[in-house]
Amino acid sequence: MKIKAIETIVVNMPMKIAGSAPLLGGKARTSIDTLMVRIDTDEGVSGWGEAFGHRIWPATRAAIDTLIGPQCIGRDPAAIGALVGDLQRNLHGVGRNGPAMYALSAIDIALWDIAGKLAGLPLYRLLGGGLRQDLPAYASLLRYGDPAAVARSTEEALSRGYRRIKVHEIGEAQIKAARETAGPDIPLMVDCNCPWTVEQAVDMARRLSPYDLQWLEEPVWPPENHAGLAEVRRRGKIAVAAGENAMAADFKGMFEVGAVSYAQPSVTKVGGVSEMRKVITLAESFGVEVVPHSAYFGPGLMASLHLIAALVPEAPVERFFCDFDLNPYHDAIHPKDGRIAIPQGPGLGVDPDPKVIEKLRVR
Ligand SMILES: [Mg+2]
């Protein structure tokens, strides 16, 4: 079997927004872009992958279309380790993180989708997981900046059955609003997206202690300041989560200095299913819990479900808390009563709907 073609497909999904637009990457955002990759084989089996798409997708897409995709044509899609190993070596000079690695992540996910389809098994079963129907999800609220809006979204998430809430806020008033709305029994996480110095983060961790956070995520600038994260964890007496911006090889140093209580590798950034497996194994050896980052709605979310089900079955699934009129995966992205189904078909378990792709596609 050989890889015959690789196509990149971008869909833009307008969000349903009540009130003011949430912030993503520091800017008001009204839609989400998903960069998907389809790998076709000469035997009629196709696989789907996703590369990190938010904001950077034109560069990632170019990396696949011009550089990485062509290197895959004619290769055996079932020899995932061999192909991805060659790609890693060929790409090292163009960057071990960023668009090159996001592109490689999409290719790797699509190859695992093909592997599952060839084996006739859902990916989580192929990876050794026991039969399982669903996983708990947590509502990963977007950033609103306004305590009343945070309270409203928290309430909405709870009313939909979520029993775990994460806010992307950096102000005490907003975090307090989430805790007061959720009550004392709902696990509450805070994702900061790297705003503070170590001293500021330690100070914030202490100020936030009354809100009983399950974790403080990426509190420190820059994200690779692992010693700084360790200090926040130790002096701030708070669980720290990080890893969505790390490449696979960064995790060892992160674990060695005790930077995190929760590691958050991201399947569309870190190198796909293959690298996720390595990071999860490494984390286990250090006694660090893995709770993958999965702010995605395409094959990246599906791959995250399978990885969690197979390898870290106690971890909740991050579900970005926003709604769309239309998305290529229909109900597969929708948790019910706070739980999200693991697609049981072979590979990633479900393919995107081509009719929806045509409607949402960015040309
Ligand atoms: Mg995060």
Side-chain angles (χ1 to χ4, degrees), residues 166 168 191 193 217-218 244 264 293 318:
K166 184 169 92 179
H168 284 83
D191 190 347
N193 299 118
E217 180 170 334
E218 293 199 307
E244 69 186 82
Q264 301 173 299
H293 169 261
E318 177 174 27

PDB file of all heavy atoms in Angstrom, residues 166 168 191 193 217-218 244 264 293 318, ligand 1:
ATOM      1  N   LYS A 166     -13.262  25.139  33.334  1.00  0.00           N
ATOM      2  CA  LYS A 166     -11.996  25.884  33.272  1.00  0.00           C
ATOM      3  C   LYS A 166     -12.286  27.260  32.693  1.00  0.00           C
ATOM      4  O   LYS A 166     -13.032  27.369  31.718  1.00  0.00           O
ATOM      5  CB  LYS A 166     -10.972  25.143  32.402  1.00  0.00           C
ATOM      6  CG  LYS A 166      -9.599  25.826  32.396  1.00  0.00           C
ATOM      7  CD  LYS A 166      -8.542  24.939  31.763  1.00  0.00           C
ATOM      8  CE  LYS A 166      -8.406  25.197  30.282  1.00  0.00           C
ATOM      9  NZ  LYS A 166      -7.359  24.333  29.672  1.00  0.00           N
ATOM     10  N   HIS A 168     -10.524  30.880  31.167  1.00  0.00           N
ATOM     11  CA  HIS A 168      -9.318  31.523  30.635  1.00  0.00           C
ATOM     12  C   HIS A 168      -9.338  32.975  31.099  1.00  0.00           C
ATOM     13  O   HIS A 168      -9.632  33.877  30.310  1.00  0.00           O
ATOM     14  CB  HIS A 168      -9.301  31.455  29.108  1.00  0.00           C
ATOM     15  CG  HIS A 168      -8.935  30.121  28.545  1.00  0.00           C
ATOM     16  ND1 HIS A 168      -9.838  29.096  28.403  1.00  0.00           N
ATOM     17  CD2 HIS A 168      -7.763  29.642  28.076  1.00  0.00           C
ATOM     18  CE1 HIS A 168      -9.225  28.031  27.878  1.00  0.00           C
ATOM     19  NE2 HIS A 168      -7.966  28.349  27.660  1.00  0.00           N
ATOM     20  N   ASP A 191      -6.841  28.901  33.370  1.00  0.00           N
ATOM     21  CA  ASP A 191      -5.824  28.922  32.314  1.00  0.00           C
ATOM     22  C   ASP A 191      -5.459  30.370  32.043  1.00  0.00           C
ATOM     23  O   ASP A 191      -6.304  31.163  31.632  1.00  0.00           O
ATOM     24  CB  ASP A 191      -6.385  28.253  31.049  1.00  0.00           C
ATOM     25  CG  ASP A 191      -5.318  28.013  30.001  1.00  0.00           C
ATOM     26  OD1 ASP A 191      -4.213  28.576  30.128  1.00  0.00           O
ATOM     27  OD2 ASP A 191      -5.594  27.264  29.037  1.00  0.00           O
ATOM     28  N   ASN A 193      -2.586  31.519  30.134  1.00  0.00           N
ATOM     29  CA  ASN A 193      -1.883  31.785  28.875  1.00  0.00           C
ATOM     30  C   ASN A 193      -0.657  32.690  29.049  1.00  0.00           C
ATOM     31  O   ASN A 193      -0.459  33.654  28.293  1.00  0.00           O
ATOM     32  CB  ASN A 193      -2.831  32.329  27.806  1.00  0.00           C
ATOM     33  CG  ASN A 193      -3.956  31.359  27.446  1.00  0.00           C
ATOM     34  OD1 ASN A 193      -5.134  31.660  27.643  1.00  0.00           O
ATOM     35  ND2 ASN A 193      -3.606  30.175  26.952  1.00  0.00           N
ATOM     36  N   GLU A 217      -2.973  27.123  35.112  1.00  0.00           N
ATOM     37  CA  GLU A 217      -2.364  26.676  33.857  1.00  0.00           C
ATOM     38  C   GLU A 217      -1.550  27.790  33.208  1.00  0.00           C
ATOM     39  O   GLU A 217      -2.038  28.903  33.047  1.00  0.00           O
ATOM     40  CB  GLU A 217      -3.496  26.213  32.925  1.00  0.00           C
ATOM     41  CG  GLU A 217      -3.039  25.716  31.573  1.00  0.00           C
ATOM     42  CD  GLU A 217      -4.190  25.050  30.813  1.00  0.00           C
ATOM     43  OE1 GLU A 217      -5.138  24.552  31.467  1.00  0.00           O
ATOM     44  OE2 GLU A 217      -4.153  25.042  29.567  1.00  0.00           O
ATOM     45  N   GLU A 218      -0.345  27.462  32.816  1.00  0.00           N
ATOM     46  CA  GLU A 218       0.564  28.400  32.144  1.00  0.00           C
ATOM     47  C   GLU A 218       0.567  29.788  32.791  1.00  0.00           C
ATOM     48  O   GLU A 218       0.270  30.788  32.147  1.00  0.00           O
ATOM     49  CB  GLU A 218       0.225  28.501  30.656  1.00  0.00           C
ATOM     50  CG  GLU A 218       0.500  27.214  29.885  1.00  0.00           C
ATOM     51  CD  GLU A 218       0.609  27.454  28.385  1.00  0.00           C
ATOM     52  OE1 GLU A 218      -0.310  28.053  27.811  1.00  0.00           O
ATOM     53  OE2 GLU A 218       1.629  27.066  27.797  1.00  0.00           O
ATOM     54  N   GLU A 244       1.019  22.599  26.569  1.00  0.00           N
ATOM     55  CA  GLU A 244       0.445  22.718  25.230  1.00  0.00           C
ATOM     56  C   GLU A 244       1.394  23.417  24.253  1.00  0.00           C
ATOM     57  O   GLU A 244       1.235  23.287  23.048  1.00  0.00           O
ATOM     58  CB  GLU A 244      -0.894  23.457  25.266  1.00  0.00           C
ATOM     59  CG  GLU A 244      -0.778  24.922  25.607  1.00  0.00           C
ATOM     60  CD  GLU A 244      -2.137  25.589  25.781  1.00  0.00           C
ATOM     61  OE1 GLU A 244      -2.726  25.480  26.867  1.00  0.00           O
ATOM     62  OE2 GLU A 244      -2.580  26.223  24.819  1.00  0.00           O
ATOM     63  N   GLN A 264       0.229  18.776  29.798  1.00  0.00           N
ATOM     64  CA  GLN A 264      -0.827  18.969  28.797  1.00  0.00           C
ATOM     65  C   GLN A 264      -0.299  18.963  27.361  1.00  0.00           C
ATOM     66  O   GLN A 264      -0.449  19.949  26.637  1.00  0.00           O
ATOM     67  CB  GLN A 264      -1.530  20.302  29.075  1.00  0.00           C
ATOM     68  CG  GLN A 264      -2.150  20.376  30.455  1.00  0.00           C
ATOM     69  CD  GLN A 264      -2.674  21.757  30.761  1.00  0.00           C
ATOM     70  OE1 GLN A 264      -1.919  22.712  30.785  1.00  0.00           O
ATOM     71  NE2 GLN A 264      -3.968  21.870  30.963  1.00  0.00           N
ATOM     72  N   HIS A 293      -4.136  18.793  26.166  1.00  0.00           N
ATOM     73  CA  HIS A 293      -4.759  20.001  25.621  1.00  0.00           C
ATOM     74  C   HIS A 293      -5.509  19.591  24.354  1.00  0.00           C
ATOM     75  O   HIS A 293      -4.962  18.873  23.517  1.00  0.00           O
ATOM     76  CB  HIS A 293      -3.646  21.005  25.279  1.00  0.00           C
ATOM     77  CG  HIS A 293      -4.078  22.180  24.470  1.00  0.00           C
ATOM     78  ND1 HIS A 293      -3.902  22.253  23.100  1.00  0.00           N
ATOM     79  CD2 HIS A 293      -4.689  23.345  24.822  1.00  0.00           C
ATOM     80  CE1 HIS A 293      -4.374  23.419  22.666  1.00  0.00           C
ATOM     81  NE2 HIS A 293      -4.848  24.090  23.685  1.00  0.00           N
ATOM     82  N   GLU A 318     -10.651  18.151  27.386  1.00  0.00           N
ATOM     83  CA  GLU A 318     -10.899  19.592  27.237  1.00  0.00           C
ATOM     84  C   GLU A 318     -11.839  19.835  26.056  1.00  0.00           C
ATOM     85  O   GLU A 318     -11.551  19.425  24.936  1.00  0.00           O
ATOM     86  CB  GLU A 318      -9.587  20.350  27.004  1.00  0.00           C
ATOM     87  CG  GLU A 318      -9.827  21.833  26.780  1.00  0.00           C
ATOM     88  CD  GLU A 318      -8.553  22.667  26.683  1.00  0.00           C
ATOM     89  OE1 GLU A 318      -7.505  22.121  26.283  1.00  0.00           O
ATOM     90  OE2 GLU A 318      -8.616  23.860  27.011  1.00  0.00           O
TER      91      GLU A 318
HETATM   92 MG    MG B   1      -4.378  26.114  27.826  1.00  0.00          MG
END
